[in-house]
């Protein structure tokens, strides 16, 4: 089985920065893509950023230019650097991983709260 372990969530003031990390363990296979989704209270889960094993990134329009996703393929680790945070970024952030011919995996979620 695969386990995604997240860290880095917390409380930050508007305009501040935060970095989330996710480490995948328990699998012999590399992942095609890893990234982050988020879910705010009363809203559906939405894609935030995804990066492929080749380094291609995709960002949600709402975070483009503020968030940066990076990946270490050898360590199956992904990091999300979040700058210029806004109150509307407040959500539970979930790590995501996908491998060919395999289910999609999710982390347990880490809370990010942006408030003054």
């Amino acid at each position: 089985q695969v386990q995604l372990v997240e860290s880095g969530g917390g409380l930050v003031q508007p305009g501040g920065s935060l970095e989330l990390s996710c480490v995948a363990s328990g699998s012999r296979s590399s992942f095609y893509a890893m990234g982050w989704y988020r879910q705010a209270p009363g809203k559906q889960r939405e894609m935030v950023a995804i990066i492929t094993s080749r380094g291609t990134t995709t960002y949600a329009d709402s975070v483009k230019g503020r968030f940066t996703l990076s990946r270490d393929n050898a360590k199956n680790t992904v990091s999300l650097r979040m700058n210029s945070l806004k109150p509307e970024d407040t959500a539970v952030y979930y790590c995501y991983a996908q491998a060919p011919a395999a289910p999609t995996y999710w982390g347990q979620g880490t809370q990010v709260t942006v408030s003054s």
Side-chain angles (χ1 to χ4, degrees), residues 1-98:
Q1 72 275 28
V2 171
Q3 185 175 31
L4 305 180
V5 180
E6 302 145 320
S7 62
L11 174 65
V12 65
Q13 294 184 345
S17 299
L18 206 61
E19 184 166 317
L20 306 181
S21 296
C22 176
V23 180
S25 63
S27 176
R28 298 175 58 188
S29 301
S30 62
F31 294 101
Y32 167 73
M34 295 184 68
W36 293 88
Y37 284 65
R38 69 185 181 186
Q39 186 169 20
K43 297 184 178 180
Q44 295 183 234
R45 188 175 299 186
E46 65 175 353
M47 186 272 289
V48 177
I50 293 174
I51 186 168
T52 71
S53 60
R54 300 188 66 176
T56 302
T57 53
T58 302
Y59 295 94
D61 289 341
S62 59
V63 307
K64 187 177 180 180
R66 299 188 296 119
F67 292 10
T68 302
L69 186 65
S70 60
R71 176 175 179 173
D72 186 333
N73 290 330
K75 298 180 179 180
N76 283 333
T77 300
V78 65
S79 298
L80 182 68
R81 178 67 178 180
M82 304 182 293
N83 295 323
S84 302
L85 283 163
K86 306 174 181 179
E88 50 263 44
D89 294 318
T90 297
V92 177
Y93 285 69
Y94 296 91
C95 184
Y96 157 92
Q98 185 179 50

